[in-house]
Amino acid sequence: MNKNINLVKAGNLNILIRALKEKRVATKPQLSELTGLSVVTINSLVNVLLNNGEIIEGDSLPSGGGRPASSYIFNSEYKLALVIYMNEYNGKNTAYIGVVNLYGEIIEKQEKIMTEINIDSFDHIIEKMLLKYPKISVISFGMPVVEVEGKLLISDYKELENTYFTSYIKEKFNLPVLIENDINLAIDGYCFSNGLSEGKIVIGIYFPNNYPLGAGIYINGKIYKGRNGLAGEIKYLPHNKIDWESFDYNIDKIKEIVVRTILSFNCMYNPDIIVIYSENIDESIIEEVRSNCDSEIEKAMMPEIIISKEINRDFEIGIKHIALKELGF
């Protein structure tokens, strides 16, 4: 019986905190109206949330003729997320470091050029941020890596290959640690910010200046990773067999690879949208893809193609999104 009562209470607390998060500031009668919970229940739950520090008591507000009513404010800094994502900027490996509140707002952001990327390269950054923001409750990484059974099986940074990076950070700082592939985060961020969820198939293809291309596959509201997280490793496509160590990143060769890759995804997934992230690809690629669609079926498969140079923006949205989900928001 007690277990059921506790479950009901936990459910009601969740309903209340989410309603207040959306409203930002509300009185008890307003919270009762928003949630459908009685004022008596609201009174009890508000005390719990105040004691936990999840909400803060605000100013008294007019109550429409009666005594002013106390207001309550959602404490967006009750828990914080530390997000660290790597991207190539002007040919240099750059770390973007952000502290994010529960509204997804970045309250501090830094950039750091990383000349070396080893398993302990982020220790000093994390230590400094934890000292400044002790409410950090999760650390989220976005990097061009693929983690399989806890090991970084694939990494653009050779020193991180075959390391147990996530376990190392988790044990050192005693916090939950997430790590996700860069293009997966970018396409998640694109879909989240554009309100694309159920019933949509969206493919993201990223071609950096100095690294092989990769892809993210978004199906029905979530990233599709495959059996062991390797879905989207398109540099291994049979028709794209290239010696990437000696590849010269010639723009004509890149375009040819991108066209073949788009046509392959059209056949395999019949997507609604394909987003191409590249500094060097322009709108002309769309016509090149169309000109390679010989049959009516291939033409019918043709999705909307978006050319974007905003991978950093979508990357940031995606990494904040997964970090807040880990915190229950």
Side-chain angles (χ1 to χ4, degrees), residues 154-189:
I154 297 172
S155 172
D156 282 355
Y157 314 125
K158 295 302 177 187
E159 293 82 0
L160 288 183
E161 262 188 14
N162 297 314
T163 65
Y164 290 88
F165 177 78
T166 306
S167 297
Y168 168 80
I169 299 293
K170 195 179 296 185
E171 289 167 14
K172 186 170 182 69
F173 297 102
N174 197 30
L175 283 172
V177 178
L178 309 173
I179 191 164
E180 187 53 87
N181 183 275
D182 51 357
I183 183 59
N184 281 351
L185 287 172
I187 204 63
D188 180 83

mmCIF file of all heavy atoms in Angstrom, residues 154-189:
data_model
loop_
_atom_site.group_PDB
_atom_site.id
_atom_site.type_symbol
_atom_site.label_atom_id
_atom_site.label_comp_id
_atom_site.label_asym_id
_atom_site.label_seq_id
_atom_site.Cartn_x
_atom_site.Cartn_y
_atom_site.Cartn_z
ATOM 1 N N ILE A 154 35.519 3.511 -32.716
ATOM 2 C CA ILE A 154 35.855 4.405 -33.820
ATOM 3 C C ILE A 154 36.046 5.800 -33.261
ATOM 4 O O ILE A 154 35.259 6.261 -32.433
ATOM 5 C CB ILE A 154 34.735 4.423 -34.885
ATOM 6 C CG1 ILE A 154 34.565 3.033 -35.509
ATOM 7 C CG2 ILE A 154 35.015 5.458 -35.967
ATOM 8 C CD1 ILE A 154 33.366 2.921 -36.433
ATOM 9 N N SER A 155 37.107 6.472 -33.688
ATOM 10 C CA SER A 155 37.345 7.846 -33.261
ATOM 11 C C SER A 155 38.201 8.556 -34.295
ATOM 12 O O SER A 155 39.177 7.992 -34.799
ATOM 13 C CB SER A 155 38.048 7.882 -31.898
ATOM 14 O OG SER A 155 38.430 9.207 -31.574
ATOM 15 N N ASP A 156 37.817 9.802 -34.613
ATOM 16 C CA ASP A 156 38.671 10.613 -35.472
ATOM 17 C C ASP A 156 39.952 11.017 -34.741
ATOM 18 O O ASP A 156 40.904 11.467 -35.374
ATOM 19 C CB ASP A 156 37.922 11.873 -35.934
ATOM 20 C CG ASP A 156 36.933 11.581 -37.054
ATOM 21 O OD1 ASP A 156 36.906 10.429 -37.538
ATOM 22 O OD2 ASP A 156 36.192 12.495 -37.450
ATOM 23 N N TYR A 157 39.948 10.889 -33.413
ATOM 24 C CA TYR A 157 41.121 11.221 -32.609
ATOM 25 C C TYR A 157 41.806 9.909 -32.215
ATOM 26 O O TYR A 157 41.304 9.170 -31.370
ATOM 27 C CB TYR A 157 40.711 12.016 -31.368
ATOM 28 C CG TYR A 157 39.741 13.141 -31.683
ATOM 29 C CD1 TYR A 157 38.519 13.253 -31.032
ATOM 30 C CD2 TYR A 157 40.044 14.085 -32.659
ATOM 31 C CE1 TYR A 157 37.639 14.273 -31.330
ATOM 32 C CE2 TYR A 157 39.160 15.103 -32.980
ATOM 33 C CZ TYR A 157 37.956 15.194 -32.311
ATOM 34 O OH TYR A 157 37.087 16.200 -32.630
ATOM 35 N N LYS A 158 42.935 9.640 -32.854
ATOM 36 C CA LYS A 158 43.571 8.323 -32.741
ATOM 37 C C LYS A 158 43.899 7.950 -31.299
ATOM 38 O O LYS A 158 43.842 6.774 -30.914
ATOM 39 C CB LYS A 158 44.852 8.283 -33.597
ATOM 40 C CG LYS A 158 44.593 8.416 -35.097
ATOM 41 C CD LYS A 158 43.654 7.305 -35.592
ATOM 42 C CE LYS A 158 43.338 7.464 -37.075
ATOM 43 N NZ LYS A 158 42.309 6.492 -37.504
ATOM 44 N N GLU A 159 44.250 8.945 -30.467
ATOM 45 C CA GLU A 159 44.627 8.643 -29.083
ATOM 46 C C GLU A 159 43.444 8.147 -28.254
ATOM 47 O O GLU A 159 43.626 7.570 -27.185
ATOM 48 C CB GLU A 159 45.239 9.885 -28.413
ATOM 49 C CG GLU A 159 46.573 10.325 -28.987
ATOM 50 C CD GLU A 159 46.416 11.167 -30.257
ATOM 51 O OE1 GLU A 159 45.263 11.403 -30.682
ATOM 52 O OE2 GLU A 159 47.457 11.548 -30.836
ATOM 53 N N LEU A 160 42.210 8.401 -28.729
ATOM 54 C CA LEU A 160 41.022 7.949 -27.986
ATOM 55 C C LEU A 160 40.524 6.585 -28.459
ATOM 56 O O LEU A 160 39.699 5.966 -27.781
ATOM 57 C CB LEU A 160 39.887 8.968 -28.123
ATOM 58 C CG LEU A 160 40.039 10.283 -27.364
ATOM 59 C CD1 LEU A 160 38.798 11.141 -27.538
ATOM 60 C CD2 LEU A 160 40.316 10.061 -25.893
ATOM 61 N N GLU A 161 41.002 6.135 -29.603
ATOM 62 C CA GLU A 161 40.557 4.837 -30.113
ATOM 63 C C GLU A 161 40.871 3.715 -29.130
ATOM 64 O O GLU A 161 41.957 3.663 -28.551
ATOM 65 C CB GLU A 161 41.219 4.538 -31.467
ATOM 66 C CG GLU A 161 40.321 4.876 -32.635
ATOM 67 C CD GLU A 161 40.903 4.399 -33.963
ATOM 68 O OE1 GLU A 161 41.839 3.590 -33.956
ATOM 69 O OE2 GLU A 161 40.412 4.871 -34.995
ATOM 70 N N ASN A 162 39.880 2.847 -28.931
ATOM 71 C CA ASN A 162 40.014 1.665 -28.058
ATOM 72 C C ASN A 162 40.202 2.017 -26.583
ATOM 73 O O ASN A 162 40.654 1.184 -25.793
ATOM 74 C CB ASN A 162 41.160 0.757 -28.528
ATOM 75 C CG ASN A 162 40.897 0.204 -29.915
ATOM 76 O OD1 ASN A 162 39.796 -0.257 -30.209
ATOM 77 N ND2 ASN A 162 41.892 0.285 -30.784
ATOM 78 N N THR A 163 39.839 3.244 -26.194
ATOM 79 C CA THR A 163 39.876 3.610 -24.776
ATOM 80 C C THR A 163 38.472 3.498 -24.182
ATOM 81 O O THR A 163 37.473 3.595 -24.900
ATOM 82 C CB THR A 163 40.390 5.043 -24.558
ATOM 83 O OG1 THR A 163 39.447 5.977 -25.136
ATOM 84 C CG2 THR A 163 41.759 5.246 -25.189
ATOM 85 N N TYR A 164 38.424 3.338 -22.865
ATOM 86 C CA TYR A 164 37.141 3.340 -22.140
ATOM 87 C C TYR A 164 36.943 4.744 -21.571
ATOM 88 O O TYR A 164 36.947 4.965 -20.370
ATOM 89 C CB TYR A 164 37.153 2.261 -21.057
ATOM 90 C CG TYR A 164 37.106 0.862 -21.627
ATOM 91 C CD1 TYR A 164 38.271 0.187 -21.973
ATOM 92 C CD2 TYR A 164 35.887 0.238 -21.882
ATOM 93 C CE1 TYR A 164 38.231 -1.090 -22.534
ATOM 94 C CE2 TYR A 164 35.834 -1.041 -22.441
ATOM 95 C CZ TYR A 164 37.004 -1.696 -22.763
ATOM 96 O OH TYR A 164 36.965 -2.950 -23.324
ATOM 97 N N PHE A 165 36.772 5.672 -22.493
ATOM 98 C CA PHE A 165 36.732 7.098 -22.157
ATOM 99 C C PHE A 165 35.601 7.435 -21.190
ATOM 100 O O PHE A 165 35.800 8.111 -20.188
ATOM 101 C CB PHE A 165 36.602 7.912 -23.450
ATOM 102 C CG PHE A 165 36.490 9.386 -23.248
ATOM 103 C CD1 PHE A 165 37.606 10.149 -22.966
ATOM 104 C CD2 PHE A 165 35.254 10.034 -23.345
ATOM 105 C CE1 PHE A 165 37.503 11.529 -22.785
ATOM 106 C CE2 PHE A 165 35.140 11.393 -23.164
ATOM 107 C CZ PHE A 165 36.271 12.148 -22.882
ATOM 108 N N THR A 166 34.407 6.956 -21.502
ATOM 109 C CA THR A 166 33.241 7.274 -20.665
ATOM 110 C C THR A 166 33.431 6.763 -19.246
ATOM 111 O O THR A 166 33.162 7.487 -18.271
ATOM 112 C CB THR A 166 31.957 6.673 -21.278
ATOM 113 O OG1 THR A 166 31.845 7.107 -22.632
ATOM 114 C CG2 THR A 166 30.721 7.116 -20.523
ATOM 115 N N SER A 167 33.897 5.531 -19.105
ATOM 116 C CA SER A 167 34.131 4.949 -17.777
ATOM 117 C C SER A 167 35.179 5.749 -17.012
ATOM 118 O O SER A 167 35.055 5.971 -15.799
ATOM 119 C CB SER A 167 34.592 3.496 -17.890
ATOM 120 O OG SER A 167 33.589 2.712 -18.472
ATOM 121 N N TYR A 168 36.217 6.193 -17.722
ATOM 122 C CA TYR A 168 37.283 6.980 -17.087
ATOM 123 C C TYR A 168 36.714 8.267 -16.488
ATOM 124 O O TYR A 168 36.974 8.603 -15.329
ATOM 125 C CB TYR A 168 38.371 7.305 -18.114
ATOM 126 C CG TYR A 168 39.362 8.338 -17.639
ATOM 127 C CD1 TYR A 168 40.400 7.986 -16.783
ATOM 128 C CD2 TYR A 168 39.245 9.673 -18.022
ATOM 129 C CE1 TYR A 168 41.304 8.948 -16.321
ATOM 130 C CE2 TYR A 168 40.131 10.636 -17.569
ATOM 131 C CZ TYR A 168 41.159 10.265 -16.726
ATOM 132 O OH TYR A 168 42.043 11.210 -16.263
ATOM 133 N N ILE A 169 35.920 9.006 -17.271
ATOM 134 C CA ILE A 169 35.352 10.277 -16.797
ATOM 135 C C ILE A 169 34.357 10.026 -15.663
ATOM 136 O O ILE A 169 34.340 10.738 -14.654
ATOM 137 C CB ILE A 169 34.666 11.032 -17.962
ATOM 138 C CG1 ILE A 169 35.672 11.362 -19.069
ATOM 139 C CG2 ILE A 169 33.983 12.297 -17.451
ATOM 140 C CD1 ILE A 169 36.744 12.357 -18.713
ATOM 141 N N LYS A 170 33.545 8.987 -15.817
ATOM 142 C CA LYS A 170 32.530 8.652 -14.809
ATOM 143 C C LYS A 170 33.182 8.342 -13.458
ATOM 144 O O LYS A 170 32.742 8.820 -12.404
ATOM 145 C CB LYS A 170 31.711 7.447 -15.302
ATOM 146 C CG LYS A 170 30.418 7.205 -14.560
ATOM 147 C CD LYS A 170 29.680 6.005 -15.146
ATOM 148 C CE LYS A 170 29.250 6.249 -16.577
ATOM 149 N NZ LYS A 170 28.435 5.126 -17.120
ATOM 150 N N GLU A 171 34.214 7.527 -13.482
ATOM 151 C CA GLU A 171 34.890 7.133 -12.237
ATOM 152 C C GLU A 171 35.669 8.291 -11.627
ATOM 153 O O GLU A 171 35.724 8.444 -10.405
ATOM 154 C CB GLU A 171 35.824 5.954 -12.513
ATOM 155 C CG GLU A 171 35.068 4.649 -12.785
ATOM 156 C CD GLU A 171 35.955 3.562 -13.357
ATOM 157 O OE1 GLU A 171 37.201 3.713 -13.300
ATOM 158 O OE2 GLU A 171 35.404 2.558 -13.874
ATOM 159 N N LYS A 172 36.248 9.132 -12.465
ATOM 160 C CA LYS A 172 37.050 10.248 -11.945
ATOM 161 C C LYS A 172 36.183 11.313 -11.289
ATOM 162 O O LYS A 172 36.552 11.884 -10.258
ATOM 163 C CB LYS A 172 37.876 10.874 -13.078
ATOM 164 C CG LYS A 172 38.857 11.946 -12.584
ATOM 165 C CD LYS A 172 39.814 12.351 -13.670
ATOM 166 C CE LYS A 172 40.811 13.380 -13.158
ATOM 167 N NZ LYS A 172 41.771 12.814 -12.186
ATOM 168 N N PHE A 173 34.994 11.566 -11.860
ATOM 169 C CA PHE A 173 34.177 12.674 -11.365
ATOM 170 C C PHE A 173 32.883 12.217 -10.689
ATOM 171 O O PHE A 173 32.111 13.052 -10.208
ATOM 172 C CB PHE A 173 33.881 13.652 -12.507
ATOM 173 C CG PHE A 173 35.126 14.290 -13.054
ATOM 174 C CD1 PHE A 173 35.678 13.857 -14.248
ATOM 175 C CD2 PHE A 173 35.760 15.295 -12.352
ATOM 176 C CE1 PHE A 173 36.840 14.423 -14.749
ATOM 177 C CE2 PHE A 173 36.923 15.876 -12.840
ATOM 178 C CZ PHE A 173 37.474 15.436 -14.035
ATOM 179 N N ASN A 174 32.636 10.913 -10.665
ATOM 180 C CA ASN A 174 31.483 10.353 -9.953
ATOM 181 C C ASN A 174 30.163 10.994 -10.384
ATOM 182 O O ASN A 174 29.340 11.378 -9.550
ATOM 183 C CB ASN A 174 31.684 10.502 -8.435
ATOM 184 C CG ASN A 174 30.742 9.599 -7.649
ATOM 185 O OD1 ASN A 174 30.366 8.526 -8.116
ATOM 186 N ND2 ASN A 174 30.344 10.033 -6.471
ATOM 187 N N LEU A 175 29.992 11.115 -11.693
ATOM 188 C CA LEU A 175 28.765 11.673 -12.259
ATOM 189 C C LEU A 175 28.351 10.832 -13.469
ATOM 190 O O LEU A 175 29.193 10.190 -14.103
ATOM 191 C CB LEU A 175 28.991 13.117 -12.729
ATOM 192 C CG LEU A 175 29.037 14.215 -11.666
ATOM 193 C CD1 LEU A 175 29.475 15.528 -12.301
ATOM 194 C CD2 LEU A 175 27.696 14.386 -10.973
ATOM 195 N N PRO A 176 27.051 10.854 -13.810
ATOM 196 C CA PRO A 176 26.636 10.203 -15.061
ATOM 197 C C PRO A 176 27.325 10.878 -16.250
ATOM 198 O O PRO A 176 27.473 12.106 -16.277
ATOM 199 C CB PRO A 176 25.119 10.450 -15.108
ATOM 200 C CG PRO A 176 24.728 10.814 -13.728
ATOM 201 C CD PRO A 176 25.911 11.456 -13.088
ATOM 202 N N VAL A 177 27.772 10.071 -17.214
ATOM 203 C CA VAL A 177 28.468 10.595 -18.392
ATOM 204 C C VAL A 177 27.820 10.026 -19.646
ATOM 205 O O VAL A 177 27.604 8.818 -19.753
ATOM 206 C CB VAL A 177 29.976 10.236 -18.363
ATOM 207 C CG1 VAL A 177 30.672 10.750 -19.622
ATOM 208 C CG2 VAL A 177 30.646 10.804 -17.118
ATOM 209 N N LEU A 178 27.500 10.904 -20.592
ATOM 210 C CA LEU A 178 26.958 10.500 -21.884
ATOM 211 C C LEU A 178 27.979 10.826 -22.963
ATOM 212 O O LEU A 178 28.723 11.806 -22.852
ATOM 213 C CB LEU A 178 25.664 11.262 -22.194
ATOM 214 C CG LEU A 178 24.562 11.280 -21.140
ATOM 215 C CD1 LEU A 178 23.451 12.219 -21.582
ATOM 216 C CD2 LEU A 178 24.024 9.886 -20.913
ATOM 217 N N ILE A 179 28.009 10.020 -23.995
ATOM 218 C CA ILE A 179 28.824 10.362 -25.159
ATOM 219 C C ILE A 179 28.044 9.983 -26.403
ATOM 220 O O ILE A 179 27.414 8.927 -26.453
ATOM 221 C CB ILE A 179 30.210 9.672 -25.119
ATOM 222 C CG1 ILE A 179 31.132 10.267 -26.190
ATOM 223 C CG2 ILE A 179 30.094 8.151 -25.261
ATOM 224 C CD1 ILE A 179 32.591 9.944 -25.998
ATOM 225 N N GLU A 180 28.028 10.888 -27.370
ATOM 226 C CA GLU A 180 27.284 10.637 -28.599
ATOM 227 C C GLU A 180 28.062 11.168 -29.785
ATOM 228 O O GLU A 180 28.823 12.131 -29.681
ATOM 229 C CB GLU A 180 25.896 11.294 -28.520
ATOM 230 C CG GLU A 180 24.964 10.978 -29.663
ATOM 231 C CD GLU A 180 24.796 9.484 -29.895
ATOM 232 O OE1 GLU A 180 23.922 8.878 -29.251
ATOM 233 O OE2 GLU A 180 25.562 8.945 -30.715
ATOM 234 N N ASN A 181 27.857 10.511 -30.906
ATOM 235 C CA ASN A 181 28.481 10.873 -32.162
ATOM 236 C C ASN A 181 28.026 12.260 -32.623
ATOM 237 O O ASN A 181 26.872 12.640 -32.435
ATOM 238 C CB ASN A 181 28.088 9.796 -33.183
ATOM 239 C CG ASN A 181 28.723 10.005 -34.521
ATOM 240 O OD1 ASN A 181 28.208 10.745 -35.335
ATOM 241 N ND2 ASN A 181 29.844 9.356 -34.742
ATOM 242 N N ASP A 182 28.920 13.013 -33.244
ATOM 243 C CA ASP A 182 28.623 14.391 -33.624
ATOM 244 C C ASP A 182 27.444 14.523 -34.583
ATOM 245 O O ASP A 182 26.527 15.316 -34.345
ATOM 246 C CB ASP A 182 29.862 15.081 -34.202
ATOM 247 C CG ASP A 182 30.547 14.295 -35.320
ATOM 248 O OD1 ASP A 182 30.101 13.172 -35.626
ATOM 249 O OD2 ASP A 182 31.539 14.807 -35.871
ATOM 250 N N ILE A 183 27.409 13.732 -35.649
ATOM 251 C CA ILE A 183 26.334 13.873 -36.622
ATOM 252 C C ILE A 183 25.003 13.370 -36.052
ATOM 253 O O ILE A 183 23.943 13.909 -36.369
ATOM 254 C CB ILE A 183 26.682 13.175 -37.959
ATOM 255 C CG1 ILE A 183 25.579 13.382 -39.005
ATOM 256 C CG2 ILE A 183 26.988 11.709 -37.756
ATOM 257 C CD1 ILE A 183 25.289 14.825 -39.351
ATOM 258 N N ASN A 184 25.042 12.368 -35.177
ATOM 259 C CA ASN A 184 23.805 11.941 -34.515
ATOM 260 C C ASN A 184 23.210 13.091 -33.708
ATOM 261 O O ASN A 184 21.998 13.331 -33.731
ATOM 262 C CB ASN A 184 24.073 10.751 -33.591
ATOM 263 C CG ASN A 184 24.183 9.439 -34.330
ATOM 264 O OD1 ASN A 184 23.901 9.363 -35.518
ATOM 265 N ND2 ASN A 184 24.604 8.394 -33.640
ATOM 266 N N LEU A 185 24.065 13.796 -32.971
ATOM 267 C CA LEU A 185 23.585 14.924 -32.174
ATOM 268 C C LEU A 185 23.068 16.044 -33.069
ATOM 269 O O LEU A 185 22.045 16.668 -32.762
ATOM 270 C CB LEU A 185 24.704 15.451 -31.277
ATOM 271 C CG LEU A 185 25.081 14.580 -30.093
ATOM 272 C CD1 LEU A 185 26.321 15.123 -29.402
ATOM 273 C CD2 LEU A 185 23.933 14.472 -29.084
ATOM 274 N N ALA A 186 23.776 16.310 -34.160
ATOM 275 C CA ALA A 186 23.366 17.405 -35.042
ATOM 276 C C ALA A 186 21.993 17.140 -35.655
ATOM 277 O O ALA A 186 21.128 18.022 -35.673
ATOM 278 C CB ALA A 186 24.404 17.627 -36.139
ATOM 279 N N ILE A 187 21.757 15.914 -36.124
ATOM 280 C CA ILE A 187 20.467 15.645 -36.764
ATOM 281 C C ILE A 187 19.365 15.555 -35.719
ATOM 282 O O ILE A 187 18.214 15.928 -35.972
ATOM 283 C CB ILE A 187 20.535 14.392 -37.676
ATOM 284 C CG1 ILE A 187 19.438 14.467 -38.752
ATOM 285 C CG2 ILE A 187 20.467 13.106 -36.898
ATOM 286 C CD1 ILE A 187 19.582 15.636 -39.708
ATOM 287 N N ASP A 188 19.689 15.096 -34.502
ATOM 288 C CA ASP A 188 18.722 15.142 -33.407
ATOM 289 C C ASP A 188 18.358 16.589 -33.099
ATOM 290 O O ASP A 188 17.181 16.920 -32.911
ATOM 291 C CB ASP A 188 19.309 14.459 -32.169
ATOM 292 C CG ASP A 188 18.342 14.471 -30.992
ATOM 293 O OD1 ASP A 188 17.464 13.588 -30.938
ATOM 294 O OD2 ASP A 188 18.451 15.373 -30.125
ATOM 295 N N GLY A 189 19.373 17.468 -33.060
ATOM 296 C CA GLY A 189 19.117 18.885 -32.800
ATOM 297 C C GLY A 189 18.297 19.534 -33.898
ATOM 298 O O GLY A 189 17.399 20.336 -33.622
#
